[in-house]
Short mmCIF file of all heavy atoms in Angstrom, two decimals:
data_model
loop_
_atom_site.label_atom_id
_atom_site.label_comp_id
_atom_site.label_asym_id
_atom_site.label_seq_id
_atom_site.Cartn_x
_atom_site.Cartn_y
_atom_site.Cartn_z
N LEU A 98 -33.48 -29.17 -113.42
CA LEU A 98 -32.55 -29.17 -114.49
C LEU A 98 -31.71 -30.56 -114.46
O LEU A 98 -30.88 -30.77 -115.24
CB LEU A 98 -31.54 -28.05 -114.48
CG LEU A 98 -32.26 -26.67 -114.61
CD1 LEU A 98 -31.10 -25.53 -114.51
CD2 LEU A 98 -32.95 -26.60 -115.93
N GLY A 99 -31.96 -31.32 -113.30
CA GLY A 99 -31.23 -32.55 -113.19
C GLY A 99 -30.23 -32.52 -112.10
O GLY A 99 -30.18 -31.63 -111.25
N ALA A 100 -29.45 -33.62 -112.01
CA ALA A 100 -28.53 -33.75 -110.85
C ALA A 100 -27.20 -34.36 -111.39
O ALA A 100 -27.19 -35.00 -112.37
CB ALA A 100 -29.12 -34.63 -109.71
N MET A 101 -26.13 -33.98 -110.68
CA MET A 101 -24.88 -34.52 -110.98
C MET A 101 -24.21 -35.05 -109.71
O MET A 101 -24.36 -34.51 -108.63
CB MET A 101 -23.89 -33.40 -111.46
CG MET A 101 -24.43 -32.81 -112.74
SD MET A 101 -23.37 -31.37 -113.26
CE MET A 101 -22.67 -32.09 -114.70
N ARG A 102 -23.51 -36.24 -109.86
CA ARG A 102 -22.75 -36.75 -108.71
C ARG A 102 -21.31 -36.26 -108.82
O ARG A 102 -20.65 -36.22 -109.84
CB ARG A 102 -22.82 -38.24 -108.74
CG ARG A 102 -22.21 -38.90 -107.55
CD ARG A 102 -22.42 -40.39 -107.48
NE ARG A 102 -21.50 -41.00 -106.57
CZ ARG A 102 -21.90 -41.19 -105.29
NH1 ARG A 102 -23.15 -40.89 -104.90
NH2 ARG A 102 -21.08 -41.85 -104.41
N LEU A 103 -20.80 -35.90 -107.68
CA LEU A 103 -19.40 -35.44 -107.61
C LEU A 103 -18.66 -36.45 -106.70
O LEU A 103 -19.00 -36.71 -105.64
CB LEU A 103 -19.38 -34.12 -107.02
CG LEU A 103 -20.07 -33.02 -107.61
CD1 LEU A 103 -20.07 -31.74 -106.79
CD2 LEU A 103 -19.62 -32.68 -109.00
N ASP A 104 -17.55 -36.96 -107.25
CA ASP A 104 -16.62 -37.84 -106.48
C ASP A 104 -15.47 -36.86 -106.01
O ASP A 104 -14.68 -36.41 -106.86
CB ASP A 104 -16.17 -38.96 -107.13
CG ASP A 104 -17.36 -39.97 -107.30
OD1 ASP A 104 -18.01 -40.30 -106.31
OD2 ASP A 104 -17.60 -40.48 -108.55
N LEU A 105 -15.41 -36.71 -104.80
CA LEU A 105 -14.32 -35.71 -104.23
C LEU A 105 -13.35 -36.43 -103.33
O LEU A 105 -13.22 -36.13 -102.16
CB LEU A 105 -15.09 -34.58 -103.44
CG LEU A 105 -16.36 -33.93 -104.14
CD1 LEU A 105 -17.18 -33.14 -103.27
CD2 LEU A 105 -15.72 -33.01 -105.27
N GLY A 106 -12.69 -37.32 -103.91
CA GLY A 106 -11.75 -38.18 -103.14
C GLY A 106 -12.40 -39.12 -102.18
O GLY A 106 -13.10 -40.02 -102.63
N ARG A 107 -12.28 -38.89 -100.91
CA ARG A 107 -12.87 -39.86 -99.97
C ARG A 107 -14.33 -39.44 -99.60
O ARG A 107 -14.89 -40.06 -98.75
CB ARG A 107 -11.98 -39.84 -98.70
CG ARG A 107 -10.69 -40.41 -98.86
CD ARG A 107 -9.74 -40.35 -97.69
NE ARG A 107 -10.36 -40.73 -96.44
CZ ARG A 107 -10.21 -41.97 -95.93
NH1 ARG A 107 -9.40 -42.81 -96.52
NH2 ARG A 107 -10.80 -42.35 -94.84
N ARG A 108 -14.94 -38.46 -100.21
CA ARG A 108 -16.30 -38.06 -99.94
C ARG A 108 -16.92 -37.88 -101.19
O ARG A 108 -16.26 -37.71 -102.37
CB ARG A 108 -16.44 -36.77 -99.11
CG ARG A 108 -15.88 -35.61 -99.58
CD ARG A 108 -15.95 -34.45 -98.67
NE ARG A 108 -15.44 -33.31 -99.17
CZ ARG A 108 -16.21 -32.36 -99.87
NH1 ARG A 108 -17.52 -32.65 -100.08
NH2 ARG A 108 -15.74 -31.27 -100.41
N SER A 109 -18.32 -37.89 -101.25
CA SER A 109 -18.96 -37.64 -102.52
C SER A 109 -20.19 -36.67 -102.26
O SER A 109 -20.62 -36.51 -101.10
CB SER A 109 -19.39 -38.93 -103.13
OG SER A 109 -20.27 -39.60 -102.14
N ALA A 110 -20.78 -36.26 -103.34
CA ALA A 110 -22.00 -35.34 -103.23
C ALA A 110 -22.87 -35.60 -104.48
O ALA A 110 -22.37 -35.86 -105.62
CB ALA A 110 -21.69 -33.92 -103.04
N THR A 111 -24.18 -35.38 -104.31
CA THR A 111 -25.12 -35.31 -105.39
C THR A 111 -25.65 -33.86 -105.37
O THR A 111 -26.20 -33.48 -104.32
CB THR A 111 -26.15 -36.38 -105.34
OG1 THR A 111 -25.57 -37.65 -105.27
CG2 THR A 111 -27.13 -36.22 -106.47
N VAL A 112 -25.51 -33.13 -106.44
CA VAL A 112 -26.06 -31.82 -106.47
C VAL A 112 -27.09 -31.68 -107.52
O VAL A 112 -26.90 -32.16 -108.58
CB VAL A 112 -24.82 -30.83 -106.93
CG1 VAL A 112 -25.33 -29.36 -106.91
CG2 VAL A 112 -23.60 -30.99 -105.95
N SER A 113 -28.29 -31.27 -106.96
CA SER A 113 -29.48 -31.03 -107.90
C SER A 113 -29.36 -29.57 -108.35
O SER A 113 -29.20 -28.68 -107.47
CB SER A 113 -30.69 -31.36 -107.08
OG SER A 113 -30.67 -32.73 -106.70
#
Side-chain angles (χ1 to χ4, degrees):
L98 301 178
M101 299 176 110
R102 184 173 169 93
L103 307 172
D104 289 312
L105 307 162
R107 295 174 50 99
R108 65 185 183 87
S109 62
T111 300
V112 181
S113 297

